[in-house]
Amino acid sequence: MPKRAFAVVAHPDDIEFVMAGTLLHLQAAGYEIHCMNIANGCCGSTQYGREELAKLRHLEALDACQSVGAVYHESLAPDLEVFYDRPTLARLASIMRLVAPEILLVHAPSDYMEDHMNSCRLAVTAAFTRGMPNFPVDPPRPPIDQPVTIYHAQPHGNRDPLGAVVHPHYYVDIGDVLARKTDMLGRHRSQRGWLDESQGFDSYLQTMHDLMREVGRMSGRFEFAEGWRKHHYPGFCAPEADPLVAALGDRCLVAS
């Protein structure tokens, strides 16, 4: 079975903002890459209705994944209805067993909105239950024994909910894949006006560049970087497991 990296986030375009560069490097290192947005994006517009927008954002997310050869997994809930509950956990845990990732990329545990934090909690718990035969998943799938190492992306704006700057434990150089990352984000065309209107982004593509440049400055080495913090290992992997560093080598700087 090939090594797999699984990015699980809240909304369509979250992967492209904070994870896509790292995924592309992992793909180049031989990983099969998988992407999932738990929420369907149905609230991210003042121009489209819920059903119309959910279909549109599904197509945008699928297009972004297909443009780089990633495996796309369907959403589970509407926007702002990503709850840490048993039905959602059971469905995500089933997908986790299907994908059986060695690397799991998720949101920061403390972020600016509940969808991000609940998606993080769901993904971490789904990974934790991957080998538990007594935890029922939907649809049923047998448990797996694949160790998984979890890495948390930077929170939105590189800051926690109270505005404190968050410094990564790992910096991944994305300078040579920034154009492809930008192309992936640009395929989420419905978000151009919405992000300007709702969050004050002058241009969502430029905002992404600025945030990645800020992480690069934090690294002291790279011009553009994505930042990561590793989840504690018990229940997931060996204490010394660090497959991100092993796969990316010099592209990944470990903070001193």
Side-chain angles (χ1 to χ4, degrees):
M1 187 173 67
K3 292 182 178 180
R4 294 171 176 168
F6 192 13
V8 179
V9 298
H11 310 108
D13 78 14
D14 285 340
I15 287 173
E16 288 78 1
F17 260 105
V18 294
M19 301 182 178
T22 300
L23 277 175
L24 290 169
H25 284 321
L26 288 171
Q27 183 184 51
Y31 278 76
E32 182 178 286
I33 58 174
H34 291 246
C35 298
M36 183 176 183
N37 315 300
I38 294 180
N40 64 12
C42 67
C43 291
S45 175
T46 57
Q47 297 178 328
Y48 303 100
R50 285 172 62 92
E51 292 185 6
E52 182 184 9
L53 182 61
K55 291 178 182 178
L56 176 59
R57 298 201 70 188
H58 162 79
L59 293 174
E60 292 172 343
L62 181 61
D63 181 37
C65 283
Q66 290 179 338
S67 73
V68 297
V71 179
Y72 175 80
H73 297 270
E74 296 289 341
S75 301
L76 302 178
D79 282 4
L80 301 178
E81 296 180 40
V82 178
F83 301 127
Y84 187 83
D85 57 21
R86 181 174 177 177
T88 308
L89 178 59
R91 293 170 69 193
L92 182 56
S94 181
I95 296 167
M96 195 69 66
R97 294 181 183 189
L98 174 67
V99 177
E102 181 187 49
I103 293 176
L104 178 61
L105 306 179
V106 299
H107 282 298
S110 182
D111 210 336
Y112 83 120
M113 69 171 303
E114 292 296 322
D115 277 359
H116 284 207
M117 293 187 288
N118 284 338
S119 294
C120 174
R121 292 182 65 200
L122 287 163
V124 169
T125 305
F128 192 81
T129 66
R130 72 198 182 283
M132 295 179 175
N134 292 342
F135 182 76
V137 301
D138 179 22
R141 285 194 172 96
I144 60 172
D145 59 4
Q146 169 66 49
V148 58
T149 306
I150 302 173
Y151 298 90
H152 295 277
Q154 284 291 93
H156 176 71
N158 297 319
R159 283 149 179 81
D160 71 14
L162 300 181
V165 175
V166 173
H167 292 271
H169 299 162
Y170 303 83
Y171 297 90
V172 174
D173 181 8
I174 63 165
D176 60 346
V177 293
L178 183 63
R180 296 178 66 197
K181 174 181 166 81
T182 304
D183 176 73
M184 290 178 68
L185 182 58
R187 293 171 187 264
H188 295 267
R189 297 176 181 87
S190 67
Q191 296 306 284
R192 286 175 179 163
W194 167 249
L195 290 174
D196 287 353
E197 179 181 337
S198 66
Q199 299 182 33
F201 289 3
D202 294 331
S203 162
Y204 74 134
L205 301 179
Q206 184 60 51
T207 296
M208 182 270 285
H209 285 196
D210 292 342
L211 293 173
M212 298 305 100
R213 185 180 286 107
E214 182 178 39
V215 178
R217 285 197 299 268
M218 291 180 189
S219 77
R221 180 181 298 181
F222 306 133
E223 182 177 6
F224 296 96
E226 290 176 351
W228 299 96
R229 291 177 292 166
K230 188 168 75 168
H231 197 87
H232 200 32
Y233 71 88
F236 300 104
C237 60
E240 68 278 6
D242 211 346
L244 187 66
V245 174
L248 302 190
D250 291 343
R251 295 183 186 278
C252 185
L253 173 66
V254 182
S256 58

XYZ file of all heavy atoms in Angstrom, residues 101-189:
703
model
N -3.967 6.948 6.610
C -2.819 7.825 6.333
C -1.662 7.581 7.301
O -1.858 7.232 8.467
C -3.400 9.222 6.544
C -4.471 9.021 7.580
C -5.066 7.670 7.274
N -0.464 7.804 6.790
C 0.709 7.871 7.657
C 0.871 9.282 8.218
O 1.334 9.471 9.336
C 1.974 7.484 6.894
C 3.224 7.503 7.760
C 4.504 7.293 6.981
O 4.687 7.978 5.950
O 5.314 6.465 7.398
N 0.484 10.271 7.412
C 0.532 11.678 7.807
C -0.881 12.247 7.732
O -1.576 12.084 6.729
C 1.470 12.484 6.897
C 2.928 12.042 7.097
C 1.328 13.989 7.148
C 3.909 12.720 6.153
N -1.312 12.913 8.816
C -2.611 13.577 8.857
C -2.378 15.059 9.097
O -1.760 15.448 10.095
C -3.469 12.980 9.974
C -4.851 13.601 10.190
C -5.719 13.448 8.949
C -5.538 12.973 11.412
N -2.870 15.889 8.184
C -2.734 17.339 8.274
C -4.084 17.927 8.661
O -5.093 17.683 7.975
C -2.265 17.922 6.938
C -0.983 17.324 6.348
C -0.657 17.993 5.007
C 0.186 17.448 7.307
N -4.114 18.714 9.734
C -5.379 19.230 10.263
C -5.205 20.696 10.666
O -4.100 21.232 10.697
C -5.863 18.407 11.476
C -6.105 16.957 11.080
C -4.869 18.479 12.623
N -6.334 21.321 11.002
C -6.322 22.696 11.486
C -5.585 22.810 12.824
O -5.372 21.817 13.538
C -7.745 23.199 11.701
C -8.457 23.604 10.457
N -8.025 24.628 9.630
C -9.605 23.131 9.887
C -8.869 24.776 8.626
N -9.831 23.880 8.753
N -5.275 24.043 13.188
C -4.778 24.330 14.533
C -5.873 24.022 15.542
O -7.065 24.249 15.280
C -4.362 25.790 14.640
N -5.524 23.498 16.723
C -6.554 23.201 17.717
C -7.245 24.438 18.272
O -8.379 24.360 18.750
C -5.789 22.462 18.820
C -4.367 22.843 18.627
C -4.185 23.095 17.166
N -6.578 25.593 18.209
C -7.180 26.857 18.630
C -7.129 27.808 17.452
O -6.048 28.193 16.999
C -6.414 27.434 19.828
O -7.010 28.633 20.275
N -8.301 28.162 16.937
C -8.365 28.960 15.712
C -9.504 29.966 15.837
O -10.224 29.995 16.832
C -8.550 28.049 14.504
C -7.929 28.591 13.230
O -7.758 29.817 13.123
O -7.617 27.782 12.330
N -9.692 30.739 14.785
C -10.590 31.881 14.902
C -12.059 31.525 14.821
O -12.906 32.357 15.136
C -10.242 32.932 13.845
C -10.822 32.711 12.460
C -11.668 33.660 11.873
C -10.523 31.573 11.721
C -12.186 33.479 10.604
C -11.021 31.389 10.453
C -11.858 32.341 9.891
O -12.364 32.146 8.637
N -12.413 30.299 14.399
C -13.831 29.946 14.298
C -14.060 28.482 14.648
O -13.160 27.635 14.546
C -14.390 30.265 12.914
C -13.864 29.405 11.795
S -14.769 29.675 10.248
C -16.451 29.298 10.749
N -15.300 28.199 15.062
C -15.640 26.878 15.578
C -15.523 25.781 14.531
O -15.120 24.655 14.858
C -17.058 26.892 16.154
C -17.220 27.722 17.409
C -16.420 27.182 18.577
O -16.337 25.939 18.735
O -15.871 27.996 19.337
N -15.891 26.046 13.286
C -15.777 25.003 12.264
C -14.355 24.471 12.181
O -14.137 23.264 12.036
C -16.199 25.540 10.893
C -17.698 25.507 10.664
O -18.434 25.048 11.565
O -18.142 25.934 9.575
N -13.365 25.381 12.256
C -11.969 24.945 12.188
C -11.612 24.082 13.391
O -11.007 23.007 13.253
C -11.046 26.160 12.130
C -11.009 26.837 10.808
N -9.922 27.555 10.359
C -11.930 26.937 9.813
C -10.160 28.054 9.166
N -11.380 27.696 8.817
N -11.975 24.531 14.572
C -11.593 23.804 15.783
C -12.331 22.473 15.897
O -11.749 21.460 16.296
C -11.829 24.688 17.011
C -10.893 25.886 17.058
S -10.971 26.866 18.581
C -12.565 27.676 18.385
N -13.611 22.453 15.535
C -14.355 21.195 15.588
C -13.857 20.213 14.535
O -13.815 19.000 14.786
C -15.854 21.448 15.419
C -16.486 22.013 16.673
O -15.960 21.867 17.768
N -17.622 22.675 16.518
N -13.476 20.721 13.368
C -12.901 19.837 12.350
C -11.604 19.220 12.836
O -11.326 18.039 12.600
C -12.662 20.617 11.052
O -13.883 21.030 10.473
N -10.805 20.015 13.521
C -9.570 19.509 14.099
C -9.861 18.406 15.112
O -9.266 17.318 15.073
C -8.799 20.650 14.734
S -7.323 20.147 15.649
N -10.769 18.658 16.022
C -11.107 17.668 17.054
C -11.637 16.383 16.426
O -11.257 15.269 16.832
C -12.153 18.232 18.014
C -11.671 19.364 18.906
C -12.791 19.805 19.845
N -13.145 18.733 20.781
C -14.298 18.677 21.441
N -15.237 19.594 21.229
N -14.537 17.689 22.289
N -12.518 16.514 15.456
C -13.082 15.337 14.796
C -11.997 14.513 14.108
O -11.969 13.278 14.229
C -14.139 15.768 13.775
C -15.470 16.259 14.330
C -16.237 17.036 13.274
C -16.307 15.084 14.848
N -11.092 15.187 13.394
C -10.052 14.466 12.661
C -9.093 13.765 13.615
O -8.698 12.613 13.383
C -9.297 15.429 11.750
N -8.716 14.438 14.686
C -7.795 13.834 15.651
C -8.444 12.621 16.312
O -7.821 11.553 16.448
C -7.352 14.877 16.690
C -6.612 14.209 17.849
C -6.461 15.939 16.037
N -9.701 12.744 16.722
C -10.367 11.615 17.362
C -10.609 10.478 16.374
O -10.467 9.296 16.725
C -11.693 12.043 18.004
O -11.450 13.118 18.909
C -12.327 10.890 18.770
N -10.962 10.812 15.153
C -11.151 9.774 14.127
C -9.863 8.981 13.940
O -9.893 7.753 13.784
C -11.591 10.408 12.816
N -8.727 9.679 13.960
C -7.445 8.986 13.853
C -7.180 8.134 15.093
O -6.654 7.024 15.002
C -6.324 10.002 13.645
N -7.548 8.644 16.251
C -7.319 7.921 17.505
C -8.095 6.605 17.537
O -7.633 5.609 18.113
C -7.711 8.802 18.688
C -7.260 8.283 20.023
C -5.964 8.482 20.460
C -8.144 7.597 20.846
C -5.546 7.998 21.697
C -7.741 7.117 22.082
C -6.429 7.320 22.505
N -9.290 6.582 16.933
C -10.147 5.389 16.985
C -9.872 4.410 15.844
O -10.567 3.388 15.730
C -11.631 5.786 16.919
O -11.935 6.355 15.633
C -11.984 6.777 18.012
N -8.884 4.699 15.023
C -8.679 3.911 13.806
C -8.474 2.418 14.084
O -8.816 1.573 13.261
C -7.481 4.460 13.021
C -6.138 4.176 13.664
C -5.026 5.069 13.147
N -3.741 4.700 13.778
C -3.404 5.036 15.033
N -4.251 5.743 15.776
N -2.242 4.657 15.526
N -7.891 2.071 15.230
C -7.617 0.679 15.548
C -8.527 0.084 16.597
O -8.244 -1.000 17.115
N -9.631 0.747 16.891
C -10.533 0.299 17.961
C -11.703 -0.489 17.382
O -12.644 0.094 16.838
C -11.066 1.511 18.730
C -10.011 2.282 19.483
S -10.726 3.719 20.327
C -9.294 4.303 21.233
N -11.693 -1.825 17.504
C -12.785 -2.621 16.927
C -14.131 -2.370 17.590
O -15.182 -2.614 16.976
C -12.324 -4.062 17.145
C -11.329 -4.002 18.251
C -10.665 -2.666 18.123
N -14.128 -1.866 18.822
C -15.392 -1.639 19.524
C -15.982 -0.256 19.278
O -17.038 0.059 19.839
C -15.206 -1.848 21.022
C -14.939 -3.302 21.375
O -15.223 -4.189 20.567
N -14.405 -3.551 22.547
N -15.309 0.559 18.450
C -15.892 1.856 18.093
C -16.584 1.707 16.746
O -15.926 1.498 15.717
C -14.834 2.952 18.019
C -15.420 4.310 17.691
C -16.091 5.041 18.656
C -15.330 4.832 16.404
C -16.661 6.262 18.359
C -15.888 6.063 16.099
C -16.556 6.783 17.077
N -17.927 1.820 16.705
C -18.641 1.627 15.442
C -18.481 2.819 14.513
O -18.637 3.972 14.934
C -20.102 1.460 15.887
C -20.180 2.185 17.190
C -18.833 2.066 17.843
N -18.160 2.540 13.263
C -18.003 3.595 12.270
C -19.067 3.430 11.188
O -19.648 2.360 11.024
C -16.582 3.582 11.666
C -15.541 3.780 12.757
C -16.317 2.305 10.882
N -19.294 4.506 10.438
C -20.391 4.559 9.469
C -19.870 5.055 8.112
O -19.504 6.221 7.997
C -21.478 5.488 10.004
C -22.654 5.626 9.044
O -22.837 4.730 8.197
O -23.381 6.635 9.153
N -19.855 4.173 7.094
C -20.256 2.772 7.093
C -19.225 1.896 7.803
O -18.078 2.314 7.970
C -20.337 2.445 5.598
C -19.364 3.369 4.951
C -19.458 4.645 5.741
N -19.620 0.693 8.202
C -18.692 -0.172 8.942
C -17.440 -0.499 8.137
O -17.514 -0.784 6.936
C -19.532 -1.434 9.195
C -20.948 -0.988 9.113
C -20.971 0.100 8.070
N -16.320 -0.417 8.802
C -15.047 -0.833 8.218
C -14.188 -1.434 9.329
O -14.283 -0.996 10.475
C -14.315 0.343 7.573
C -14.895 0.795 6.247
C -13.945 1.722 5.489
N -14.464 1.984 4.145
C -15.184 3.051 3.810
N -15.452 3.972 4.737
N -15.621 3.207 2.579
N -13.352 -2.392 9.005
C -12.509 -2.996 10.049
C -11.465 -2.010 10.535
O -11.074 -1.084 9.804
C -11.863 -4.185 9.330
C -11.906 -3.834 7.881
C -13.167 -3.029 7.692
N -10.996 -2.168 11.768
C -9.938 -1.290 12.281
C -8.636 -1.514 11.529
O -8.455 -2.539 10.860
C -9.823 -1.710 13.748
C -10.319 -3.122 13.773
C -11.398 -3.199 12.738
N -7.739 -0.548 11.635
C -6.441 -0.627 10.973
C -5.347 -0.426 12.016
O -5.581 0.137 13.085
C -6.308 0.423 9.852
C -6.466 1.848 10.422
C -7.334 0.168 8.745
C -6.157 2.951 9.433
N -4.149 -0.890 11.683
C -3.030 -0.738 12.618
C -1.973 0.235 12.103
O -0.856 0.264 12.606
C -2.396 -2.094 12.929
C -1.861 -2.798 11.678
O -1.904 -2.200 10.581
O -1.398 -3.949 11.806
N -2.333 1.049 11.115
C -1.398 2.008 10.547
C -1.095 3.138 11.534
O -1.999 3.883 11.927
C -1.985 2.612 9.266
C -1.251 3.809 8.695
C 0.136 3.459 8.212
O 0.322 2.507 7.481
N 1.126 4.232 8.641
N 0.164 3.305 11.960
C 0.494 4.482 12.780
C 0.274 5.761 11.978
O 0.452 5.785 10.748
C 1.978 4.278 13.109
C 2.241 2.832 12.857
C 1.322 2.434 11.751
N -0.117 6.821 12.663
C -0.357 8.093 11.990
C 0.255 9.221 12.816
O 0.112 9.253 14.045
C -1.868 8.327 11.767
C -2.645 8.313 13.078
C -2.111 9.628 11.019
N 0.957 10.105 12.138
C 1.527 11.282 12.788
C 0.711 12.490 12.356
O 0.485 12.694 11.159
C 3.008 11.473 12.417
O 3.716 10.264 12.716
C 3.621 12.618 13.206
N 0.272 13.279 13.324
C -0.635 14.400 13.060
C 0.136 15.709 13.159
O 0.881 15.936 14.123
C -1.795 14.396 14.070
C -2.560 13.070 13.988
C -2.741 15.581 13.814
C -3.617 12.908 15.063
N -0.076 16.568 12.178
C 0.537 17.892 12.156
C -0.569 18.947 12.045
O -1.448 18.840 11.188
C 1.503 18.034 10.984
C 2.670 17.073 11.034
C 2.583 15.813 10.442
C 3.869 17.417 11.671
C 3.655 14.928 10.476
C 4.947 16.537 11.706
C 4.830 15.292 11.107
O 5.899 14.420 11.150
N -0.484 19.959 12.911
C -1.457 21.048 12.907
C -0.923 22.223 12.092
O 0.211 22.691 12.315
C -1.734 21.519 14.333
C -2.393 20.489 15.192
N -3.759 20.289 15.174
C -1.889 19.608 16.095
C -4.062 19.328 16.036
N -2.939 18.895 16.604
N -1.739 22.724 11.181
C -1.380 23.888 10.378
C -1.426 25.154 11.224
O -1.917 25.154 12.360
C -2.326 24.015 9.191
N -0.935 26.226 10.641
C -1.050 27.522 11.299
C -2.510 27.946 11.397
O -3.299 27.697 10.483
C -0.277 28.577 10.502
C 1.225 28.514 10.669
C 1.646 28.933 12.067
O 1.793 28.101 12.970
N 1.856 30.226 12.256
N -2.891 28.606 12.485
C -4.247 29.159 12.556
C -4.408 30.298 11.556
O -3.419 30.833 11.035
C -4.343 29.658 14.000
C -2.934 29.971 14.381
C -2.090 28.948 13.678
N -5.641 30.650 11.319
C -5.931 31.732 10.374
C -5.191 33.006 10.769
O -5.250 33.444 11.925
C -7.437 32.002 10.345
C -7.826 33.148 9.480
N -7.754 33.084 8.108
C -8.284 34.387 9.794
C -8.161 34.248 7.614
N -8.482 35.044 8.610
N -4.464 33.583 9.827
C -3.732 34.814 10.087
C -2.483 34.626 10.912
O -1.875 35.608 11.362
N -2.088 33.360 11.149
C -0.914 33.036 11.974
C -1.060 33.511 13.420
O -0.071 33.748 14.101
C 0.368 33.628 11.363
C 0.676 33.035 10.002
O 0.536 31.824 9.789
N 1.083 33.881 9.060
N -2.316 33.625 13.856
C -2.589 34.107 15.208
C -3.690 33.280 15.853
O -4.568 32.758 15.155
C -2.985 35.584 15.176
C -1.770 36.506 14.994
C -2.075 37.777 14.260
N -0.884 38.615 14.140
C 0.076 38.439 13.213
N -0.017 37.443 12.345
N 1.132 39.242 13.167
N -3.630 33.181 17.194
C -4.678 32.459 17.902
C -5.912 33.341 18.016
O -5.898 34.508 17.581
C -4.164 31.956 19.256
C -3.935 33.064 20.288
O -4.409 34.210 20.095
O -3.279 32.794 21.304
N -7.011 32.837 18.605
C -8.239 33.629 18.653
C -8.129 34.940 19.426
O -8.967 35.834 19.255
C -9.231 32.682 19.330
C -8.743 31.328 19.004
C -7.259 31.443 19.040
N -7.107 35.081 20.259
C -6.909 36.324 20.995
C -5.862 37.225 20.351
O -5.486 38.249 20.924
C -6.518 36.016 22.453
C -7.555 35.208 23.239
C -7.066 34.980 24.670
C -8.905 35.904 23.243
N -5.397 36.852 19.170
C -4.494 37.708 18.416
C -3.019 37.500 18.672
O -2.190 38.231 18.120
N -2.660 36.515 19.505
C -1.244 36.254 19.775
C -0.632 35.497 18.599
O -1.242 34.563 18.061
C -1.080 35.446 21.051
N 0.574 35.889 18.205
C 1.263 35.241 17.094
C 1.607 33.804 17.472
O 2.067 33.528 18.585
C 2.539 36.013 16.716
C 3.315 35.271 15.634
C 2.196 37.421 16.252
N 1.354 32.890 16.555
C 1.668 31.481 16.755
C 2.883 31.123 15.907
O 2.881 31.323 14.689
C 0.474 30.587 16.370
C 0.856 29.110 16.425
C -0.711 30.873 17.291
N 3.924 30.611 16.535
C 5.148 30.225 15.832
C 5.145 28.717 15.613
O 4.919 27.950 16.549
C 6.386 30.645 16.627
C 6.566 32.123 16.700
N 7.266 32.838 15.750
C 6.127 33.040 17.601
C 7.261 34.114 16.059
N 6.563 34.269 17.179
N 5.408 28.283 14.403
C 5.398 26.844 14.108
C 6.572 26.107 14.747
O 7.576 26.706 15.141
C 5.520 26.802 12.580
C 5.209 28.188 12.099
C 5.628 29.101 13.198
N 6.424 24.779 14.803
C 7.526 23.890 15.177
C 8.314 23.465 13.941
O 9.470 23.076 14.044
C 6.996 22.638 15.864
C 6.252 22.915 17.127
N 5.395 21.999 17.704
C 6.235 24.004 17.949
C 4.879 22.505 18.817
N 5.363 23.715 18.974
N 7.639 23.501 12.785
C 8.244 23.107 11.516
C 7.909 24.157 10.465
O 6.784 24.664 10.428
C 7.689 21.761 11.024
C 7.858 20.611 11.975
C 6.951 20.412 13.011
C 8.907 19.710 11.830
C 7.088 19.350 13.889
C 9.052 18.639 12.704
C 8.146 18.464 13.726
O 8.284 17.417 14.591
N 8.877 24.419 9.606
C 8.674 25.335 8.487
C 8.957 24.576 7.197
O 10.033 24.001 7.027
C 9.628 26.531 8.580
C 9.428 27.389 9.804
C 10.121 27.120 10.987
C 8.561 28.482 9.779
C 9.954 27.912 12.111
C 8.382 29.278 10.899
C 9.079 28.987 12.064
O 8.908 29.772 13.179
N 7.985 24.572 6.287
C 8.152 23.890 5.010
C 8.297 24.937 3.913
O 7.416 25.778 3.715
C 6.965 22.959 4.708
C 7.088 22.364 3.311
C 6.890 21.844 5.750
N 9.424 24.890 3.225
C 9.707 25.814 2.129
C 8.767 25.518 0.963
O 8.770 24.412 0.410
C 11.161 25.636 1.691
C 11.572 26.568 0.555
O 10.788 27.466 0.198
O 12.693 26.385 0.036
N 7.941 26.498 0.586
C 6.992 26.278 -0.520
C 7.268 27.194 -1.707
O 6.436 27.314 -2.600
C 5.535 26.460 -0.041
C 5.286 27.893 0.444
C 5.180 25.437 1.032
C 3.815 28.234 0.576
N 8.435 27.832 -1.718
C 8.713 28.793 -2.779
C 8.570 28.223 -4.173
O 8.008 28.867 -5.068
N 9.043 26.984 -4.384
C 9.020 26.433 -5.734
C 7.677 25.805 -6.104
O 7.498 25.376 -7.251
C 10.156 25.434 -5.924
C 10.085 24.259 -4.965
O 9.319 24.331 -3.990
O 10.814 23.265 -5.184
N 6.736 25.745 -5.170
C 5.389 25.253 -5.503
C 4.329 26.323 -5.255
O 3.128 26.041 -5.325
C 5.039 23.969 -4.709
C 5.921 22.813 -5.146
C 5.116 24.200 -3.208
N 4.758 27.548 -4.985
C 3.801 28.616 -4.687
C 2.870 28.873 -5.861
O 1.671 29.128 -5.672
C 4.536 29.897 -4.298
C 3.649 31.075 -3.900
C 2.828 30.750 -2.645
C 4.497 32.339 -3.659
N 3.383 28.804 -7.081
C 2.533 29.042 -8.250
C 1.438 27.987 -8.355
O 0.279 28.307 -8.672
C 3.382 29.063 -9.517
N 1.775 26.741 -8.083
C 0.769 25.668 -8.142
C -0.224 25.808 -6.992
O -1.429 25.587 -7.170
C 1.450 24.305 -8.105
C 2.327 24.019 -9.300
C 3.008 22.668 -9.175
N 2.048 21.587 -9.230
C 2.301 20.326 -8.830
N 3.488 20.044 -8.301
N 1.378 19.397 -8.923
N 0.257 26.161 -5.826
C -0.631 26.416 -4.681
C -1.591 27.567 -4.998
O -2.792 27.499 -4.692
C 0.222 26.736 -3.455
C -0.517 27.165 -2.183
C 0.501 27.471 -1.091
C -0.090 28.221 0.103
N -0.783 27.324 1.037
N -1.078 28.620 -5.615
C -1.910 29.767 -5.990
C -2.952 29.372 -7.019
O -4.119 29.795 -6.952
C -1.031 30.903 -6.526
O -0.039 31.250 -5.550
C -1.862 32.137 -6.853
N -2.546 28.539 -7.983
C -3.497 28.063 -8.993
C -4.617 27.264 -8.341
O -5.791 27.420 -8.706
C -2.763 27.208 -10.026
C -3.721 26.616 -11.046
O -4.220 27.364 -11.906
O -3.993 25.395 -10.980
N -4.271 26.420 -7.375
C -5.301 25.640 -6.678
C -6.283 26.561 -5.957
O -7.501 26.390 -6.066
C -4.647 24.684 -5.680
C -3.882 23.537 -6.293
S -3.086 22.505 -5.020
C -4.521 21.750 -4.221
N -5.769 27.554 -5.240
C -6.646 28.476 -4.522
C -7.495 29.286 -5.495
O -8.677 29.557 -5.229
C -5.818 29.398 -3.624
C -6.592 30.402 -2.773
C -7.599 29.706 -1.861
C -5.630 31.254 -1.946
N -6.907 29.674 -6.618
C -7.631 30.462 -7.605
C -8.804 29.730 -8.231
O -9.694 30.365 -8.813
N -8.834 28.421 -8.127
C -9.953 27.648 -8.668
C -11.207 27.766 -7.795
O -12.293 27.383 -8.227
C -9.543 26.189 -8.847
C -8.487 26.014 -9.933
C -7.894 24.617 -9.986
N -6.791 24.566 -10.923
C -6.901 24.165 -12.206
N -8.067 23.778 -12.678
N -5.843 24.157 -12.995
N -11.048 28.307 -6.592
C -12.202 28.573 -5.724
C -12.727 29.978 -6.056
O -12.694 30.888 -5.234
C -11.789 28.458 -4.258
C -11.385 27.075 -3.859
N -12.272 26.161 -3.319
C -10.190 26.439 -3.947
C -11.632 25.021 -3.084
N -10.368 25.166 -3.453
N -13.241 30.130 -7.250
C -13.589 31.461 -7.771
C -14.734 32.111 -7.024
O -14.819 33.341 -6.965
C -13.911 31.341 -9.265
C -12.721 30.881 -10.096
C -13.096 30.667 -11.555
N -11.947 30.197 -12.325
C -11.604 28.907 -12.447
N -12.338 27.980 -11.859
N -10.542 28.557 -13.144
